[in-house]
């Protein structure tokens, strides 16, 4: 049975359009279950009912002609209840509705199962037989399983029609929505430009080289051309993104060096292969290793390798790289966006980004936030091959893309864009004002650096420090652990840029979704596994080296504080402090008189919430990592688009935890800050201020927005708001209450999560 299911799904998957997919389904199911009839009805908003889209066994002429209203017949009942109905004699059922055109009067046995995709009933799959007999349990289970598997394929096939403005039954539709998740906020209207790796490595055939030496020379020339391209790209984006991100292009160029990938290809050519085949072989071997690992970061490296090899292949195929035409309002769409695809578009023309794969935390989304480009990630149903050149509306706040926009939708979004641009431009003037409420309550805004590091561009000088420097970036961008000296250079630059302001450096936080290419961690549950402090305590040599580098870098600046991630018990803190002391002692012995830095703990795990006071006793400060805390409290993977709707820092459990952390830490008289994304959310920042967080640390793009909100509200009003939301049970109601307060305080709607009012 499993084999049969698999074969049907494979066949349906290979169908070219919705109608062929449905025809395959009805034919295969009828054959597998030995029934007389198999039909599919799909919901069509045009007729607000279920249209008979395909059938084997019913009258052919009825197909795409007859439909049932949403509340009509057994089909309507299956859809309404979203449950199967299995009857020995359909005509005896009170909901039975006879459709004359179908010729179904001769069939008694009826089994209908709903086709459900993302909680939405797309349609109903039905089998019928002449005899008076209920379908057995096995048959019912088979149909339910098949329907669940086919729902995604049907949804995709429907979307393929919808992108061209057609409903399942071929009627014209407008404002088709493709759901994804927010990668970077903001809205855009533009023309879709689909970018894709042009040369297709998987299609290169194996061949013998005619002249091995010539082939090697040809390959080396192509390699040099790509290296040159990468260098120009690097230069082109110099003033657009931070140094850390630019270094990625250097890593690309190095991957092509003679002693890395390039060398392996040359070796294979020496064995007799032509250059293209050798490249495809080597790329394939590397990709197999990368793609077999269930790790998001490494998967992204696989994309990088593929991207690079495709560029070399283009030169090998003696083709000029295809340069798409970028209109004034280009929205880049790709199966898997890569940093280099973004870099190729002139910044002034790039209005938005859409990636079919990936989630809110993938490298491209982070880069997009750094560059301030509205972005939708994980728009899995958007039919990539058909979107080229189409006018689309992108809403990075809601994480949705619209095709076939109506005049009304365009008008609404055009107004939103004007409002958004004016608002962002207006924020600049806030740089010279303090971050305080109307009733003069001061709030300390700090900045997160590292992944979203932005020290190359001017930042708000009223920013009082760095609340989180994610040190894993230099580790991720390297091909081995960076040496002490290399780390010192990187850390020194951070500390110098912000001196005399404090820079909070987090010790290496790898594992989970952040693996090092040269230190892979393969685990069934990486977020519950070897992560953060757990890795570094098990590798004191790596930990002490990093501590020594941080301390050395702080020499005579003395603006460093060190923070420990993923702490779940006091033993870890004690052990880490011992190692920090050891590193410090070593440096003192080496003659460097460096001040011992303040040490803090991140609260990211539910266990740490309950131990907040005990942890605060051991250290100089506490900082809450609300991204992970939300993930672990709610049991929702923060990178997974499927469960993105459940992830909210406004959940009462999260708010209750945050409030309790502040109270507990204050009992020890220690400062408490927050460095998760919630601090950069305008409504979130108001609640956090009211809870009593001493410092809110956020990415640079959020700083002025939060300052603007803080300057619009009353501290006492924020306290009242907190009191009332702490009594509420539902995260959606809480979000609404916060929005209402912002609305009443005159906060611009660009900064509110609900933009309807
Ligand atoms: C957090 O978890 O909130 C945090 C700031 O750390 P990261 O996002 O790097 O896991
Ligand atoms: Mg974290």
């Amino acid at each position: 049975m499993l084999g049969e299911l698999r074969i049907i799904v494979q066949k349906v998957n290979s169908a070219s359009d919705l109608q062929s997919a449905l025809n395959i389904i009805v034919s295969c199911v009828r054959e597998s279950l030995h029934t007389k009839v198999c039909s599919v009805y799909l919901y069509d908003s045009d007729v607000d009912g279920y249209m008979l889209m395909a059938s084997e066994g019913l009258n052919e002429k009825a197909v795409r002609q007859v439909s049932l209203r949403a509340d009509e017949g057994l089909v309507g009942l299956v859809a309404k209840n979203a449950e199967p109905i299995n009857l020995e004699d359909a005509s005896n059922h009170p909901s039975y509705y006879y459709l004359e055109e179908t010729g179904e009067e001769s069939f008694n046995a009826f089994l209908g199962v709903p086709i459900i995709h993302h909680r939405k009933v797309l349609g109903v799959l039905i089998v019928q037989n002449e005899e008076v007999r209920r379908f057995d349990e096995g048959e019912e289970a088979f149909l339910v399983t098949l329907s669940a598997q086919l729902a995604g394929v049907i949804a995709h096939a429907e979307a393929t029609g919808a992108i061209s403005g057609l409903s399942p039954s071929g009627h014209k539709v407008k404002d088709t929505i493709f759901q994804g998740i927010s990668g970077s906020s903001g809205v855009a209207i533009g023309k879709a430009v689909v970018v894709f790796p042009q040369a297709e490595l998987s299609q290169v055939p194996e061949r013998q080289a005619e002249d091995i030496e010539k082939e090697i020379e040809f390959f080396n020339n192509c390699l040099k051309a790509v290296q040159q391209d990468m260098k120009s790209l690097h230069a082109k984006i110099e003033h657009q993104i931070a140094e850390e991100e630019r270094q990625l292009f250097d890593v690309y160029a190095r991957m092509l060096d003679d002693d890395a990938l390039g060398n392996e290809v040359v070796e294979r050519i020496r064995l007799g292969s032509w250059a293209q085949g050798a490249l495809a072989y080597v790329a394939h071997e590397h990709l197999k290793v990368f793609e077999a690992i269930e790790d998001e970061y490494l998967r992204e490296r696989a994309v990088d390798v593929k991207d690079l090899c495709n560029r070399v292949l283009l030169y090998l195929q003696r083709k000029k790289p295809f340069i798409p035409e970028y209109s004034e309002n280009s929205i880049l769409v790709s199966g898997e966006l890569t940093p280099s695809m973004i870099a190729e578009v002139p910044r002034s023309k790039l209005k938005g980004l859409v990636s079919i794969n990936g989630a809110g935390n993938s490298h491209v989304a982070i880069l997009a936030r750094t560059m301030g480009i509205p972005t939708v990630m994980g728009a899995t149903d958007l039919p990539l091959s058909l979107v080229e050149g189409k006018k689309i509306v992108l809403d990075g706040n809601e994480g949705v893309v619209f095709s076939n926009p109506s005049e009304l939708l365009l008008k609404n979004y055009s107004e939103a864009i004007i409002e958004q641009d004016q608002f962002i431009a207006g924020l600049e003037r806030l740089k010279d004002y303090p971050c305080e409420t109307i009733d003069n309550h001061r709030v300390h805004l700090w900045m997160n650096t590292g992944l979203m590091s932005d020290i190359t561009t001017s930042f708000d000088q009223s920013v009082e420090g760095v609340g989180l420097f994610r040190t894993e970036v230099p580790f991720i961008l390297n091909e081995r652990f960076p040496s002490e000296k290399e780390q010192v250079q990187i850390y020194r630059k951070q500390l110098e840029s912000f001196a005399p302001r404090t820079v909070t450096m987090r010790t290496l936080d790898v594992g989970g979704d952040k693996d090092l290419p040269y230190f892979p961690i393969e685990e069934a549950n990486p977020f519950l596994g070897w992560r953060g402090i757990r890795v570094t305590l098990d590798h004191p040599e790596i930990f002490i080296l990093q501590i020594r580098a941080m301390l050395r870098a702080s020499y005579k600046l003395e603006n460093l504080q060190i923070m420990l991630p993923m702490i779940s018990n006091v033993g870890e803190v004690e052990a880490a402090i011992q190692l920090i002391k050891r590193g410090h002692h070593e440096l003192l012995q080496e003659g460097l008189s460096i001040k011992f830095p303040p040490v803090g703990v991140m609260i990211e795990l539910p266990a740490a919430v309950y131990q907040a006071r005990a942890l605060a006793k051991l250290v100089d400060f506490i900082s809450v990592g609300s991204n992970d805390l939300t993930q672990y409290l709610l049991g929702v993977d923060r990178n997974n688009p499927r469960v993105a709707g459940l992830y909210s820092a406004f959940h009462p459990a999260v708010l209750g935890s945050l409030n309790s952390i502040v109270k507990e830490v204050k009992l020890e008289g220690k400062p408490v800050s927050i460095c998760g994304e919630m601090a950069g959310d305008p409504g979130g920042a108001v609640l956090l201020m009211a809870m009593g967080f001493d410092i809110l640390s956020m990415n640079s793009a959020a700083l002025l927005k939060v300052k603007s909100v803080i300057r619009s509200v009353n501290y006492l009003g924020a306290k009242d708001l907190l009191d009332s939301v702490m009594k509420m049970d539902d995260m959606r109601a809480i979000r609404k209450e916060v929005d209402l307060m912002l609305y009443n305080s005159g906060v611009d709607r660009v900064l509110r999560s609900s933009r309807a009012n």
Side-chain angles (χ1 to χ4, degrees):
M1 200 140 251
L2 186 61
E4 256 174 305
L5 273 168
R6 222 178 257 154
I7 289 167
I8 298 177
V9 174
Q10 266 169 11
K11 279 188 184 167
V12 176
N13 259 323
S14 62
S16 56
D17 55 31
L18 179 64
Q19 194 56 52
S20 342
L22 299 176
N23 292 345
I24 295 170
I25 293 171
V26 292
S27 154
C28 291
V29 172
R30 192 165 88 137
E31 199 177 312
S32 288
L33 290 182
H34 309 293
T35 61
K36 278 276 175 331
V37 178
C38 179
S39 318
V40 176
Y41 287 81
L42 287 188
Y43 180 75
D44 194 317
S45 59
D46 241 26
V47 292
D48 187 24
Y50 293 90
M51 173 76 75
L52 177 64
M53 291 294 295
S55 180
E56 278 210 1
L58 294 185
N59 188 351
E60 258 177 50
K61 290 202 176 107
V63 172
R64 294 171 75 99
Q65 295 303 321
V66 299
S67 62
L68 286 155
R69 282 202 324 268
D71 57 353
E72 214 167 42
L74 290 168
V75 170
L77 195 63
V78 172
K80 187 173 129 231
N81 295 344
E83 266 176 3
I85 291 183
N86 188 352
L87 303 169
E88 59 177 22
D89 187 356
S91 61
N92 278 343
H93 194 280
S95 292
Y96 179 74
Y97 186 92
Y98 175 55
L99 283 170
E100 201 185 331
E101 304 90 322
T102 60
E104 64 180 334
E105 63 275 14
S106 50
F107 305 108
N108 295 303
F110 173 101
L111 170 61
V113 301
I115 303 165
I116 303 177
H117 182 62
H118 294 325
R119 295 192 186 187
K120 201 171 129 203
V121 177
L122 302 179
V124 179
L125 177 59
I126 290 165
V127 286
Q128 290 171 283
N129 261 336
E130 281 157 349
E131 59 200 315
V132 178
R133 169 187 84 89
R134 265 173 71 88
F135 285 90
D136 69 29
E137 270 188 25
E139 290 165 324
E140 185 173 328
F142 178 86
L143 209 59
V144 168
T145 314
L146 188 66
S147 168
Q149 286 202 44
L150 289 177
V153 188
I154 293 175
H156 186 74
E158 272 196 10
T160 305
I163 194 86
S164 316
L166 295 176
S167 73
S169 54
H171 294 98
K172 282 259 168 231
V173 286
K174 287 272 179 206
D175 299 344
T176 320
I177 295 191
F178 295 92
Q179 187 68 50
I181 52 172
S182 169
S184 172
S185 64
V187 296
I189 298 174
K191 199 161 147 192
V193 181
V194 177
V195 277
F196 53 97
Q198 288 168 54
E200 198 30 83
L201 282 161
S202 61
Q203 288 168 19
V204 176
E206 297 234 359
R207 261 193 221 158
Q208 291 297 307
E210 281 168 17
D211 180 333
I212 288 181
E213 284 317 313
K214 268 199 181 144
E215 200 70 6
I216 291 174
E217 195 190 341
F218 176 41
F219 172 73
N220 282 334
N221 288 341
C222 294
L223 204 63
K224 283 208 184 83
V226 175
Q227 279 171 321
Q228 195 48 48
D229 286 351
M230 297 318 293
K231 280 199 190 114
S232 339
L233 268 180
H234 183 278
K236 214 159 129 187
I237 57 167
E238 189 155 12
H239 301 297
Q240 293 183 24
I241 58 172
E243 182 56 29
E244 279 87 343
E245 267 91 31
R246 277 202 297 132
Q247 283 173 9
L248 203 68
F249 294 92
D250 289 341
V251 174
Y252 280 12
R254 260 184 281 136
M255 277 162 76
L256 293 174
D257 277 350
D258 292 350
D259 56 348
L261 222 128
N263 198 28
E264 286 177 51
V265 178
V266 169
E267 285 306 323
R268 190 144 178 99
I269 301 175
R270 282 201 200 288
L271 293 175
S273 172
W274 69 318
Q276 291 193 38
L279 176 73
Y281 176 85
V282 170
H284 184 66
E285 289 305 296
H286 280 262
L287 290 174
K288 258 196 328 208
V289 177
F290 277 125
E291 285 171 353
I293 299 169
E294 289 261 293
D295 170 85
E296 198 167 319
Y297 183 74
L298 282 187
R299 272 206 307 277
E300 293 213 1
R301 300 292 300 219
V303 175
D304 296 345
V305 172
K306 223 191 276 178
D307 188 26
L308 272 178
C309 292
N310 278 324
R311 283 166 187 274
V312 180
L313 188 61
L314 262 180
Y315 276 97
L316 286 174
Q317 292 175 342
R318 297 176 206 265
K319 279 191 218 157
K320 279 223 175 277
F322 166 78
I323 315 252
E325 248 187 58
Y326 298 112
S327 65
E328 284 311 307
N329 296 314
S330 294
I331 296 183
L332 219 57
V333 185
S334 182
E336 257 166 332
L337 273 175
T338 61
S340 59
M341 284 174 181
I342 300 177
E344 257 159 24
V345 195
R347 178 66 190 89
S348 61
K349 295 185 171 181
L350 184 57
K351 300 297 175 215
L353 299 168
V354 182
S355 188
I356 306 298
N357 293 305
N361 272 6
S362 62
H363 191 93
V364 164
I366 291 161
L367 189 61
R369 286 202 283 272
T370 315
M371 296 171 82
I373 309 168
T375 301
V376 172
M377 303 291 295
T380 44
D381 288 334
L382 187 73
L384 190 59
S385 56
L386 300 175
V387 75
E388 172 74 21
K390 290 221 163 16
K391 188 177 215 173
I392 55 175
V393 174
L394 179 156
D395 187 334
N397 305 314
E398 303 296 329
V400 293
V401 177
F402 295 90
S403 72
N404 312 302
S406 61
E407 286 306 315
L408 182 65
L409 191 87
L410 286 173
K411 182 174 165 283
N412 289 345
Y413 272 96
S414 304
E415 284 167 11
I417 291 169
I418 295 170
E419 191 184 346
Q420 161 189 292
D421 292 350
Q422 284 172 348
F423 181 77
I424 304 278
L427 284 179
E428 286 295 309
R429 76 186 156 78
L430 286 183
K431 281 191 170 171
D432 302 327
Y433 291 92
C435 182
E436 60 186 24
T437 58
I438 295 171
D439 45 353
N440 301 110
H441 177 81
R442 272 300 298 268
V443 178
H444 301 283
L445 296 193
W446 288 28
M447 188 166 142
N448 291 351
T449 61
L451 284 182
M452 285 167 268
S453 161
D454 218 357
I455 54 172
T456 48
T457 58
S458 77
F459 57 89
D460 180 359
Q461 292 302 319
S462 66
V463 167
E464 293 165 83
V466 172
L468 167 65
F469 171 48
R470 292 176 162 103
T471 59
E472 46 278 4
V473 175
F475 283 74
I476 285 170
L477 292 178
N478 237 298
E479 277 154 5
R480 50 167 174 74
F481 285 110
S483 68
E484 183 173 329
K485 209 163 146 200
E486 285 164 340
Q487 289 186 53
V488 171
Q489 276 176 2
I490 297 160
Y491 304 154
R492 180 84 189 170
K493 218 166 109 197
Q494 276 282 318
L495 292 165
E496 271 174 350
S497 306
F498 288 92
R501 287 165 286 200
T502 302
V503 174
T504 312
M505 295 202 174
R506 175 170 74 184
T507 61
L508 188 63
D509 183 24
V510 291
D513 60 339
K514 291 181 283 193
D515 257 356
L516 302 174
Y518 45 88
F519 190 64
I521 301 171
E522 283 177 51
E523 293 176 325
N525 287 307
F527 275 115
L528 300 181
W530 209 38
R531 234 203 114 171
I533 198 74
R534 301 169 183 183
V535 177
T536 46
L537 284 182
D538 286 352
H539 278 282
E541 77 288 12
I542 297 169
F543 189 76
I544 290 193
L545 197 81
Q546 188 178 34
I547 297 296
R548 284 173 53 103
M550 288 177 180
L551 292 172
R552 262 185 202 281
S554 74
Y555 183 60
K556 293 215 163 135
L557 290 172
E558 302 194 338
N559 60 339
L560 164 75
Q561 57 182 22
I562 295 177
M563 186 160 80
L564 310 168
M566 272 295 282
I567 293 290
S568 65
N569 62 62
V570 291
E572 288 167 336
V573 183
E574 286 161 353
I577 291 176
Q578 278 314 312
L579 291 175
I580 297 174
K581 282 187 178 155
R582 211 167 96 192
H584 183 246
H585 188 69
E586 283 172 14
L587 292 180
L588 290 183
Q589 290 209 315
E590 287 167 29
L592 276 179
S593 147
I594 294 168
K595 191 189 105 182
F596 191 81
V599 176
V601 157
M602 283 186 87
I603 296 197
E604 303 187 274
L605 297 170
V609 176
Y610 286 98
Q611 288 218 286
R613 186 159 182 193
L615 292 168
K617 238 187 213 125
L618 295 176
V619 290
D620 302 296
F621 67 95
I622 292 287
S623 184
V624 181
S626 55
N627 304 338
D628 276 315
L629 185 58
T630 306
Q631 149 165 281
Y632 290 118
L633 273 173
L634 306 184
V636 177
D637 180 345
R638 61 193 255 199
N639 299 325
N640 183 345
R642 278 202 181 136
V643 288
L646 297 173
Y647 183 98
S648 169
F650 289 80
H651 189 292
V654 180
L655 295 180
S657 298
L658 294 170
N659 208 25
S660 136
I661 293 167
V662 176
K663 287 202 177 103
E664 293 292 308
V665 176
K666 294 262 154 132
L667 288 175
E668 283 304 311
K670 302 281 168 69
V672 55
S673 61
I674 178 159
C675 58
E677 292 296 295
M678 187 187 182
D681 176 291
V686 171
L687 289 180
L688 296 167
M689 168 188 76
M691 285 179 193
F693 276 95
D694 299 300
I695 294 162
L696 309 182
S697 190
M698 62 202 71
N699 67 66
S700 58
L703 283 164
L704 288 176
K705 294 180 187 170
V706 168
K707 193 195 270 189
S708 148
V709 171
I710 298 287
R711 289 181 59 82
S712 309
V713 301
N714 251 302
Y715 180 58
L716 290 179
K719 288 272 226 198
D720 286 345
L721 172 71
L722 180 65
D723 282 347
S724 66
V725 301
M726 291 308 286
K727 294 187 195 102
M728 295 168 70
D729 300 326
D730 178 24
M731 62 188 184
R732 286 160 306 179
I734 293 176
R735 184 92 228 196
K736 277 201 182 122
E737 186 81 2
V738 174
D739 261 335
L740 184 66
M741 189 269 194
L742 298 187
Y743 175 73
N744 289 334
S745 306
V747 169
D748 195 286
R749 77 182 187 127
V750 171
L751 295 184
R752 300 198 306 269
S753 67
S754 141
R755 277 155 245 265
N757 45 23

